[in-house]
Amino acid sequence: ALFALGHAEAALDLLSSDDIQSWRNMIALGAGTTMETWDPSFKANTTYSHPAAASPVYLLPLGLFGIDAIEPAHKRFSVEPRPGDLQNASVRVPTLSGTIEAAFSQEPDHLVFHLTVPANTTAELRLPAGDLDSVREGGKPLPDTGVIRLLSADDHSVQLEVPSGTYAFSVALPSTD
């Protein structure tokens, strides 16, 4: 929810916390999956591999990268990177239609976003951009790429339809001055 509401920094802080009530604490204690409780101090006979385990792992492709199926088997899927203050990250998401790959790196003035869209699938990509002119793919302005279609643009983002292939987007970030 924090990623979706534009609070990526808060979501990343929770995921990387080393407090007693954190995923990192469970890992440090040697848990194989999510434990029954955050720490044995809450329940002495806790399990370290709870049968109803859940973990934050799915939040990385879904929350941080915004990768989610729009159609069955990810024939059409959404991608919306929400890097917050994270400098770089990458993910590979296996689907029935092929592996989706995404990666980003942030510099003070721009975001670089790499995306691989599997064969016979389409991505709806939303990039954080003040206007369409600030977005490049392979170093070229978007109208010159020929295959990427503009779906919408507003003061905060640009939404694109991206066919199968591998792409390198660059987005100029607004100045914080």
Side-chain angles (χ1 to χ4, degrees):
L2 289 170
F3 280 117
L5 292 172
H7 301 288
E9 290 90 358
L12 291 167
D13 287 347
L14 283 174
L15 286 171
S16 62
S17 170
D18 57 4
D19 291 340
I20 194 169
Q21 292 180 316
S22 72
W23 306 108
R24 290 179 84 181
N25 183 54
M26 289 185 196
I27 293 167
L29 291 170
T33 63
T34 303
M35 294 169 47
E36 187 175 3
T37 63
W38 290 109
D39 188 86
S41 63
F42 297 107
K43 184 176 185 238
N45 67 341
T46 193
T47 61
Y48 281 68
S49 188
H50 199 60
S55 77
V57 173
Y58 77 95
L59 293 174
L60 298 177
L62 180 62
L64 186 59
F65 288 90
I67 298 173
D68 199 10
I70 296 173
E71 293 180 5
H74 286 78
K75 286 294 186 184
R76 185 173 199 87
F77 58 93
S78 62
V79 180
E80 184 177 355
R82 302 173 185 116
D85 55 7
L86 194 60
Q87 294 232 321
N88 56 62
S90 63
V91 68
R92 293 174 49 112
V93 180
T95 74
L96 292 173
S97 298
T99 300
I100 301 166
E101 295 182 38
F104 66 79
S105 61
Q106 289 196 91
E107 298 296 327
D109 62 344
H110 68 279
L111 170 74
V112 175
F113 186 72
H114 294 272
L115 178 63
T116 298
V117 180
N120 302 310
T121 68
T122 303
E124 289 186 13
L125 172 62
R126 183 177 301 275
L127 291 169
D131 58 57
L132 185 60
D133 294 334
S134 71
V135 181
R136 301 272 185 270
E137 194 289 309
K140 299 177 185 175
L142 283 179
D144 295 343
T145 64
V147 296
I148 297 168
R149 189 168 72 94
L150 176 66
L151 296 176
S152 67
D154 59 31
D155 293 343
H156 306 290
S157 66
V158 171
Q159 186 174 6
L160 308 167
E161 182 179 76
V162 183
S164 302
T166 298
Y167 303 90
F169 294 94
S170 177
V171 180
L173 297 174
S175 173
T176 57
D177 296 340

